[in-house]
Amino acid sequence: MKKIKAYINGKWIAGDINYPIYSPEGHEAGTAPALNKEDIDLAFESARSAQREWEAKTIDERVQFMLAFADKLDERADEMAHIMVDEIAKSFNDAKTEVVRTSKLVRDVVAEYLRIYQEEVTFPKLNKDVTIFRKALGVVLAISPFNYPINLSVAKIAPALVSGNTVVFKGATNGTLVGSVLAEIFDELKLPKGVFNFVTGRGREIGSSLYTNKNINAISFTGGERVGKEISDHASMAIQILELGGKDVGIVRADADLDLTASQIVKGGFSYSGQRCTAIKRVFVHSEVKNALLSKVVHQVNRLTVGKAADNNFITHVINKSSADYIMDLVNDAIDKGAKPLTEIKREGNLIWPIVLDKVTPDMRIAWEEQFGPVVPFIEVDSDDLAVELANKSDYGLQSSIFTKDIDKAVEMAHKMEVGSLNINGSSQRGPDTLPFTGVKNSGLNIQGIKYSLETMTRTFNIVVNK
Ligand code: G3P
């Protein structure tokens, strides 16, 4: 059991009331303070007061803080991974990979910032020398999701801090315990008070005070569409980077390499039990190869290990009961309407065995709604055009994949797809972290990524010398 505190203006706050955080496996993983609106306001005021001085530090001082932070992430990677095993049921190996990926991300953010923070432009004919600086926006609110509680937090925090912004950070309910380690590290590194604030709390106490505070200059949020839209409705003049989910498609043409395609679908659809916004959530497969592909997929799925995260299983408990119930509602709706499960339908608590559904049709909810679980529905199509048309009917547009040996055809189809990234012969994924990560429609707003987050969290400022 990990009992954590919030961290505001360089002080640890125990809070009068603490709330339990339950592991997806059912036991209490820890507690966190239920902060109130006044605490949240104090966090933003502290961030505001600290900002000018933080931005006035030399670039080297800020860079050194961030590099020391990256080193600490590496040092504490095992500890953080163990917390994640308990708190979000991510297997130890995946959790540790996440932390290591994140320390690299911080170093890449630093390198990119050093590349872009100042640009010299000369206009000899106009007798002007211009320096374009990148200045901080002010206070950044960072809100991360449960599935990458370290990587998707630091992907927001690192670009904000290195460029001279101050931060108020809130993790998802599950993800808060491991998120507190970030505050511990900044405290240990003696980051000036108020520069990084870590808040905790339940929606009913904090309400909208988190994202309506007048001190916020930018919001970087990854999470559900409902909350994302609510944030956006209240964002006023704050810059927003929102990443809100997806319903990624894998289109399989008749000429696809079926072994490769099957492995990518299994990896893309079932990693971390399907709890990734870039997971393959629908497969549109050409009739000619459907049965051959399905038998390869089912063969691999039946070999996936299922059970506790601590035992490094591939399929682990989904995050909570309402998520598990929702996943099963969609599966049952599909089966009631004629879909055929090719794997055993089995659920124990929040543990759902991987499900491959054949004969899924567009009238089924699972063809459209984003479930965060280990379920991949297969929809048969008889043309590329139909596959693209159905893919684009989604309210989401994060990523998608096309599997084929005809790369020219795939590129032609790719340009017709309404998504932020199209993968040819590979499953959807956000990484490498240097890539721009964005979606269209309900998948989000603006771009996350090392260079792109740095650009969005800063403004340009020109000094023009007229000679
Ligand atoms: O679900 C969040 C999303 O950012 C997934 O990232 O690295 O699993 O593709 P990744």
Side-chain angles (χ1 to χ4, degrees):
M1 261 268 289
K2 190 169 168 67
K3 293 186 175 195
I4 63 158
K5 293 178 181 165
Y7 185 71
I8 298 175
N9 206 26
K11 289 198 187 74
W12 292 103
I13 314 281
D16 299 333
I17 305 165
N18 280 259
Y19 62 96
I21 293 167
Y22 291 101
S23 155
E25 292 171 7
H27 59 272
E28 197 174 316
T31 62
L35 299 185
N36 55 36
K37 184 183 176 308
E38 287 67 42
D39 299 317
I40 300 295
D41 288 348
L42 177 65
F44 283 111
E45 279 154 27
S46 309
R48 172 61 63 206
S49 321
Q51 199 269 323
R52 270 173 199 268
E53 219 172 299
W54 176 241
E55 191 175 9
K57 289 207 176 295
T58 64
I59 287 171
D60 188 55
E61 275 177 286
R62 289 202 303 273
V63 160
Q64 291 313 322
F65 267 115
M66 298 318 293
L67 294 177
F69 173 64
D71 291 345
K72 290 277 175 200
L73 289 175
D74 283 336
E75 273 170 36
R76 298 181 68 170
D78 280 13
E79 176 198 345
M80 284 191 259
H82 281 300
I83 301 171
M84 280 193 256
V85 167
D86 199 37
E87 188 181 12
I88 61 164
K90 188 175 267 197
S91 72
F92 180 82
N93 292 348
D94 285 354
K96 186 160 176 187
T97 302
E98 178 180 337
V99 182
V100 174
R101 167 183 181 176
T102 306
S103 65
K104 181 180 180 317
L105 180 145
V106 176
R107 294 184 185 104
D108 289 347
V109 165
V110 166
E112 182 62 19
Y113 179 64
L114 289 173
R115 204 181 65 79
I116 68 164
Y117 79 93
Q118 186 175 330
E119 188 190 345
E120 311 288 340
V121 193
T122 54
F123 298 88
K125 285 191 187 152
L126 301 174
N127 292 325
K128 285 177 193 291
D129 285 347
V130 182
T131 311
I132 306 169
F133 295 91
R134 289 220 153 251
K135 293 241 182 202
L137 293 179
V139 175
V140 173
L141 168 63
I143 307 179
S144 57
F146 78 82
N147 58 352
Y148 285 94
I150 292 300
N151 185 266
L152 279 171
S153 304
V154 175
K156 300 165 174 53
I157 294 164
L161 290 182
V162 78
S163 57
N165 296 283
T166 52
V167 168
V168 174
F169 162 55
K170 162 111 179 37
T173 303
N174 289 71
T176 296
L177 300 176
V178 71
S180 73
V181 177
L182 302 179
E184 286 174 19
I185 294 175
F186 285 126
D187 186 54
E188 208 180 310
L189 293 174
K190 303 208 179 333
L191 194 74
K193 65 178 187 167
V195 171
F196 176 81
N197 304 276
F198 166 62
V199 299
T200 57
R202 290 181 292 204
R204 61 177 176 273
E205 270 97 28
I206 301 176
S208 58
S209 61
L210 189 62
Y211 44 82
T212 53
N213 192 286
K214 61 181 184 332
N215 282 303
I216 302 172
N217 297 103
I219 303 174
S220 185
F221 170 84
T222 305
E225 184 191 328
R226 187 188 57 76
V227 179
K229 284 188 167 165
E230 201 175 308
I231 290 174
S232 192
D233 285 347
H234 290 93
S236 182
M237 296 289 278
I239 302 271
Q240 305 159 52
I241 308 174
L242 306 177
E243 195 243 296
L244 310 180
K247 189 73 183 169
D248 294 5
V249 174
I251 295 178
V252 185
R253 299 188 73 235
D255 69 346
D257 173 337
L258 294 187
D259 288 316
L260 169 107
T261 306
S263 313
Q264 288 296 313
I265 288 172
V266 173
K267 179 170 157 257
F270 295 99
S271 295
Y272 190 38
S273 307
Q275 299 177 108
R276 298 164 52 242
C277 50
T278 49
I280 292 187
K281 288 296 175 201
R282 310 178 281 173
V283 175
F284 295 156
V285 55
H286 271 254
S287 325
E288 271 174 63
V289 290
K290 189 194 80 169
N291 289 342
L293 176 66
L294 273 169
S295 82
K296 288 177 192 290
V297 168
V298 170
H299 178 74
Q300 290 188 29
V301 168
N302 283 334
R303 296 157 77 102
L304 298 178
T305 56
V306 182
K308 288 186 180 267
D311 300 330
N312 254 322
N313 282 296
F314 194 87
I315 301 288
T316 56
H317 295 67
V318 298
I319 198 68
N320 55 34
K321 182 175 181 303
S322 68
S323 178
D325 288 347
Y326 178 62
I327 295 160
M328 293 314 296
D329 275 356
L330 295 195
V331 169
N332 290 330
D333 169 75
I335 294 172
D336 288 348
K337 290 177 180 153
K340 188 172 160 222
L342 300 181
T343 47
E344 188 189 1
I345 303 284
K346 190 171 166 189
R347 170 182 175 183
E348 281 173 13
N350 297 336
L351 187 61
I352 296 173
W353 271 251
I355 298 171
V356 177
L357 282 179
D358 186 17
K359 298 193 186 302
V360 172
T361 49
D363 60 319
M364 300 172 188
R365 290 171 60 199
I366 202 153
W368 308 105
E369 295 179 36
E370 184 191 28
Q371 45 78 24
F372 242 39
V375 185
V376 178
F378 282 70
I379 298 174
E380 193 173 324
V381 290
D382 55 16
S383 75
D384 295 335
D385 287 347
L386 179 61
V388 173
E389 186 192 318
L390 278 176
N392 288 342
K393 270 196 181 154
S394 170
D395 291 335
Y396 294 102
L398 191 58
Q399 295 204 358
S400 281
S401 303
I402 297 174
F403 297 94
T404 177
K405 293 199 181 91
D406 186 342
I407 304 298
D408 290 342
K409 181 69 193 173
V411 171
E412 182 196 317
M413 288 167 72
H415 282 291
K416 295 180 188 156
M417 299 281 289
E418 295 165 7
V419 287
S421 195
L422 192 288
N423 309 272
I424 298 173
N425 294 327
S427 59
S428 306
Q429 57 182 323
R430 179 166 45 104
D433 289 325
T434 39
L435 285 179
F437 184 53
T438 188
V440 298
K441 299 190 264 187
N442 290 350
S443 286
L445 212 59
N446 264 318
I447 311 172
Q448 196 171 228
I450 289 171
K451 173 174 161 221
Y452 308 90
S453 296
L454 278 166
E455 285 176 352
T456 312
M457 290 177 185
T458 51
R459 66 180 172 89
T460 55
F461 170 65
N462 308 334
I463 295 187
V464 184
V465 178
N466 294 283
K467 297 185 296 186

